[in-house]
Amino acid sequence: MKSTIKIILLLLITASFTISCQKSGAELAPVFSAKLNGTERLMKSKKAVVNKGITIIAASEVTKNQHSMIIITIRGAEKGEFKQEYDYVTGVSVAKASCTYKIISRKSTKEPQFYISYEGIVEISDIDFSKKQISGSYKFDLKAIPNSKKQQVLKGDFVNLPFK
């Protein structure tokens, strides 16, 4: 009889601990991080849209002297990797994923203001259609337009971004 009571108590304690852990699992706030040539930035997600198999994520950062915007476009709306590859022979970009980066700066007018990706990858690690949230990571090699000699590496993560 005593061993039965002990087993029941042990089961109740285990069940209550498991339920309390699941309830306390607070969701993370939406985050969009960007690291441009090693400089870390937390940007505000402007908009994320998942529509007809296309995913678009837009984020921006406004400082005293500069406004920056990143737009990532993905031809897909499911978990997995989406690559962009540039064929240097034909000059054609095969894009399942692409990225543009625009800088409007009051400091310097000599620096390029618009960058476009030629090679990169986006990995959607989680997409929840009931909560309308998307998470993943990205890394793109960007080149300045019109001066393609200026190159940037842009990488980061997006976590629990709400989408429409």
Side-chain angles (χ1 to χ4, degrees):
M1 177 82 167
K2 286 185 178 183
S3 63
T4 306
I5 293 173
K6 287 180 183 179
I7 291 172
I8 291 171
L9 282 174
L10 182 63
L11 289 173
L12 285 174
I13 292 170
T14 305
S16 66
F17 180 74
T18 304
I19 291 168
S20 68
C21 286
Q22 289 173 349
K23 285 183 180 177
S24 69
E27 284 192 29
L28 297 174
V31 173
F32 186 96
S33 69
K35 190 179 245 185
L36 184 65
N37 286 343
T39 303
E40 186 79 32
R41 297 183 167 148
L42 284 177
M43 303 181 88
K44 289 186 179 180
S45 172
K46 283 281 219 190
K47 185 188 242 184
V49 176
V50 177
N51 189 13
K52 298 180 183 174
I54 303 290
T55 303
I56 299 171
I57 299 169
S60 68
E61 176 187 49
V62 179
T63 62
K64 185 177 178 180
N65 293 317
Q66 184 171 296
H67 180 111
S68 304
M69 181 168 229
I70 297 171
I71 299 174
I72 298 172
T73 306
I74 308 159
R75 287 180 38 207
E78 59 218 25
K79 291 182 185 179
E81 290 185 352
F82 299 89
K83 294 182 181 181
Q84 179 184 21
E85 297 171 350
Y86 186 75
D87 185 342
Y88 290 95
V89 175
T90 62
V92 176
S93 180
V94 180
K96 287 188 178 182
S98 63
C99 180
T100 56
Y101 178 60
K102 178 147 176 94
I103 305 168
I104 300 170
S105 177
R106 293 186 189 125
K107 284 183 183 177
S108 171
T109 56
K110 294 179 182 178
E111 288 292 316
Q113 293 187 351
F114 190 74
Y115 295 84
I116 192 163
S117 63
Y118 287 92
E119 293 182 21
I121 186 166
V122 176
E123 182 176 352
I124 298 175
S125 58
D126 187 39
I127 185 162
D128 188 331
F129 286 96
S130 61
K131 291 181 182 179
K132 299 258 186 208
Q133 293 179 337
I134 188 168
S135 299
S137 60
Y138 62 93
K139 181 180 183 237
F140 287 98
D141 295 330
L142 304 175
K143 292 194 178 178
I145 302 295
N147 177 5
S148 65
K149 292 177 184 173
K150 180 81 173 174
Q151 188 166 335
Q152 306 274 357
V153 175
L154 179 68
K155 63 182 178 177
D157 300 298
F158 47 96
V159 179
N160 292 343
L161 292 185
F163 66 82
K164 294 181 183 183

